[in-house]
Amino acid sequence: MARKALKLASWTGMALAASGFYLYSNKYLDPNDFGAVRVGRAVATTAVISYDYLTSLRSVPYGSEEYLQLRSKIHDLFVSFDDTPLGAASLAQVHKAVLRDGRTVAVKVQHPKVQSQSSKDILLMEVLVLAVKQLFPEFEFMWLVDEAKKNLPLELDFLNEGRNAEKVAQMLKDFDFLKVPRIYWELSTKRVLLMEFVDGGQVNDRDYMERNKIDVNEISRHLGKMYSEMIFVNGFVHCDPHPGNVLVRKCPGTGKAEVVLLDHGLYQVLTDEFRLDYCRLWQSLIWTDMEKVKKYSQRLGAGDLYPLFACMLTARSWDSVNRGIGQAPVTATEDAEIRNNAANYLPQISQLLNHVPRQMLLLFKTNDLLLGIEAALGTRASASSFLNMARCCIRALAAHKKKNSRSLFRRTQISFREAFNLWQIDLHELILRVKGLRLASWVLALLCRLLPTSY
């Protein structure tokens, strides 16, 4: 028996390690990193990089005469090109360079052999997942393979990444605190992306913010506004907000705090039906309407596992969800409880991930990364972040109802109700800032009675 257990543990360890599996609170499999990490470690990436139309450099021996000839062509494009990358990831690395016209640019270059190797890595992942399925039938991880097949080709196309960057910049153009680096299309290809160089500190670097007098609470509010707008209002979501992809800085022109959003290869497009149900679910979670939490969780595929689904979304215990996720911040005891219980619910988590809409998977990853940033900044579970979400939910649901109403009177009525509900949110936020959490909790309970239960 012990030998069999050891064999099972060995297989499981191999499969989970290979697929990049980790579990902490509501942290889940990242379906986009498996093959890329393996390739990134296997391929030497320190060679000098050229453009896609110089891809022959990838097969030229380092230091050879032909290599040096190709290397010299880079100087026809750049005044300077830093060989040491600013950052290296599984798919690409980024170099700082200066063009002949004086523009300072960031050059993102795909690692050699990633394109050709990716299909092999997906196949290997599929074999490992099937092996885990044979050993542990209760675990369903085939969705991991499906997501990798869908997302990895998109991430490997840097022109697609450039289009995403321009789309989100236009979509959030009214946010003066957001900076999306400009893309230089004339010098970009599928494997090389040239963009405006923007410097800054990582969003989880509190020391950098203190040195530059950047308010961490302001940055946390900015992130909440950005992602609430993307998820609830537009349904076009940047799904890789790890600290290396989110920088902060003082804007050179205005001196105001600014968020710089990088790496636009991985986006999730939400259908209207999914987006609106997700709005209603979060609205129910924020206002502690447990009947509607159950209803909309089940509409999103959670079934009888809706309590687990709510806990995974909020990274809170079921007791905290029932009491109200905005009533009190996460305690060390609750955090430890979530850590300890996560492994116990692994089969149920696997079942849930296999049944929710595929759009949900990348949102889990996005939520998790944002929660990690909030934890690093010490702003986790702040009422302000929930209020930003509530505003976007109210606006999105009101816009949907107005769009589907043919009556001018009805549209006007919806607009007045929307304005009133947003005013109530503003009032509550003001009380939070001025009077403190105890009085605000009382007002929140009052608002829960005043606000409509649904849109």
Side-chain angles (χ1 to χ4, degrees):
M1 183 68 184
R3 189 179 304 167
K4 183 178 180 182
L6 179 61
K7 180 180 179 181
L8 292 177
S10 300
W11 270 94
T12 306
M14 179 185 69
L16 296 183
S19 61
F21 180 85
Y22 67 94
L23 183 64
Y24 161 68
S25 177
N26 67 327
K27 295 181 179 177
Y28 301 104
L29 291 160
D30 182 347
N32 309 287
D33 288 346
F34 167 75
V37 168
R38 182 173 174 275
V39 174
R41 291 175 179 175
V43 177
T45 59
T46 55
V48 179
I49 305 297
S50 68
Y51 283 101
D52 200 24
Y53 42 81
L54 297 178
T55 51
S56 56
L57 180 60
R58 293 179 296 147
S59 59
V60 175
Y62 183 85
S64 67
E65 182 179 352
E66 188 178 359
Y67 179 95
L68 296 174
Q69 289 174 354
L70 288 171
R71 176 67 176 86
S72 68
K73 293 181 182 179
I74 291 179
H75 292 293
D76 295 335
L77 299 169
F78 303 105
V79 173
S80 65
F81 188 101
D82 292 349
D83 290 348
T84 303
L86 296 169
S90 52
L91 294 180
Q93 61 193 44
V94 179
H95 296 257
K96 184 179 180 181
V98 179
L99 295 174
R100 288 291 172 184
D101 59 11
R103 289 177 292 178
T104 302
V105 295
V107 185
K108 182 175 181 178
V109 188
Q110 198 170 110
H111 291 323
K113 299 183 181 179
V114 167
Q115 292 272 356
S116 59
Q117 188 68 30
S118 59
S119 59
K120 299 174 186 176
D121 288 311
I122 291 174
L123 177 61
L124 176 60
M125 177 170 58
E126 190 167 6
V127 170
L128 291 175
V129 167
L130 290 172
V132 172
K133 175 66 177 174
Q134 291 297 316
L135 293 169
F136 301 98
E138 67 272 23
F139 292 109
E140 292 285 352
F141 290 133
M142 191 52 65
W143 56 267
L144 173 68
V145 179
D146 295 337
E147 288 299 294
K149 287 179 178 177
K150 180 183 72 176
N151 292 318
L152 190 55
L154 295 175
E155 290 194 84
L156 292 175
D157 183 355
F158 288 175
L159 294 179
N160 178 67
E161 177 177 342
R163 290 189 292 269
N164 287 341
E166 290 195 338
K167 181 174 179 177
V168 79
Q170 176 63 25
M171 190 175 80
L172 303 181
K173 63 182 179 181
D174 293 334
F175 289 170
D176 58 0
F177 58 80
L178 174 63
K179 174 67 177 176
V180 178
R182 177 185 172 190
I183 305 298
Y184 298 126
W185 291 107
E186 69 276 14
L187 295 173
S188 295
T189 72
K190 282 190 173 185
R191 287 189 283 269
V192 177
L193 188 66
L194 254 75
M195 66 200 97
E196 176 185 4
F197 177 80
V198 183
D199 205 357
Q202 290 193 0
V203 70
N204 62 345
D205 189 344
R206 289 182 64 98
D207 292 338
Y208 173 89
M209 295 191 204
E210 289 175 6
R211 291 195 305 271
N212 289 272
K213 299 181 179 179
I214 297 174
D215 184 355
V216 295
N217 292 298
E218 182 182 11
I219 293 299
S220 185
R221 287 194 297 272
H222 288 343
L223 282 175
K225 288 179 182 178
M226 283 167 46
Y227 272 89
S228 293
E229 193 80 13
M230 282 191 271
I231 293 170
F232 299 115
V233 178
N234 296 286
F236 185 69
V237 189
H238 179 284
C239 288
D240 200 13
H242 69 72
N245 289 340
V246 185
L247 307 182
V248 294
R249 67 170 189 171
K250 282 287 186 72
C251 178
T254 64
K256 294 182 179 179
E258 196 171 56
V259 176
V260 182
L261 194 60
L262 306 174
D263 198 344
H264 300 270
L266 186 60
Y267 271 74
Q268 180 66 72
V269 179
L270 308 179
T271 64
D272 284 345
E273 180 183 7
F274 175 92
R275 177 175 59 85
L276 294 171
D277 280 343
Y278 196 61
C279 280
R280 295 181 183 108
L281 173 58
W282 268 105
Q283 198 173 51
S284 304
L285 286 165
I286 291 167
W287 303 119
T288 324
D289 186 338
M290 301 312 295
E291 283 299 316
K292 285 191 166 54
V293 168
K294 178 179 179 180
K295 174 183 176 180
Y296 292 112
S297 294
Q298 291 181 336
R299 284 182 62 163
L300 290 169
D304 293 336
L305 294 173
Y306 71 90
L308 177 61
F309 185 62
C311 294
M312 287 164 62
L313 278 178
T314 59
R316 303 297 299 268
S317 68
W318 181 238
D319 182 59
S320 292
V321 172
N322 275 280
R323 284 188 287 110
I325 54 177
Q327 297 298 316
V330 181
T331 63
T333 302
E334 182 181 0
D335 198 38
E337 177 188 347
I338 293 170
R339 286 173 182 256
N340 293 334
N341 287 340
N344 296 331
Y345 287 100
L346 186 55
Q348 291 87 345
I349 291 172
S350 171
Q351 180 184 344
L352 190 58
L353 293 176
N354 195 49
H355 285 91
V356 296
R358 290 294 172 257
Q359 301 166 81
M360 193 80 245
L361 299 175
L362 285 180
L363 288 188
F364 273 133
K365 169 183 176 175
T366 305
N367 277 346
D368 181 61
L369 290 170
L370 292 173
L371 286 169
I373 291 172
E374 287 185 347
L377 297 181
T379 59
R380 185 177 172 191
S382 67
S384 177
S385 64
F386 294 128
L387 293 177
N388 283 328
M389 296 170 72
R391 286 188 182 95
C392 286
C393 290
I394 288 169
R395 287 171 46 222
L397 294 168
H400 173 69
K401 294 195 75 172
K402 284 187 282 188
K403 180 181 178 181
N404 290 280
S405 177
R406 297 181 179 180
S407 165
L408 177 61
F409 174 76
R410 177 60 180 152
R411 288 197 296 271
T412 304
Q413 187 182 42
I414 294 168
S415 294
F416 274 116
R417 180 175 293 181
E418 176 189 8
F420 179 67
N421 290 338
L422 291 173
W423 174 81
Q424 287 179 307
I425 296 289
D426 291 340
L427 176 62
H428 176 58
E429 187 167 40
L430 178 63
I431 293 172
L432 270 179
R433 293 181 180 181
V434 175
K435 297 294 185 179
L437 185 60
R438 183 174 297 177
L439 179 59
S441 297
W442 176 82
V443 176
L444 177 59
L446 177 62
L447 289 179
C448 288
R449 298 188 184 97
L450 294 174
L451 281 170
T453 57
S454 66
Y455 258 99

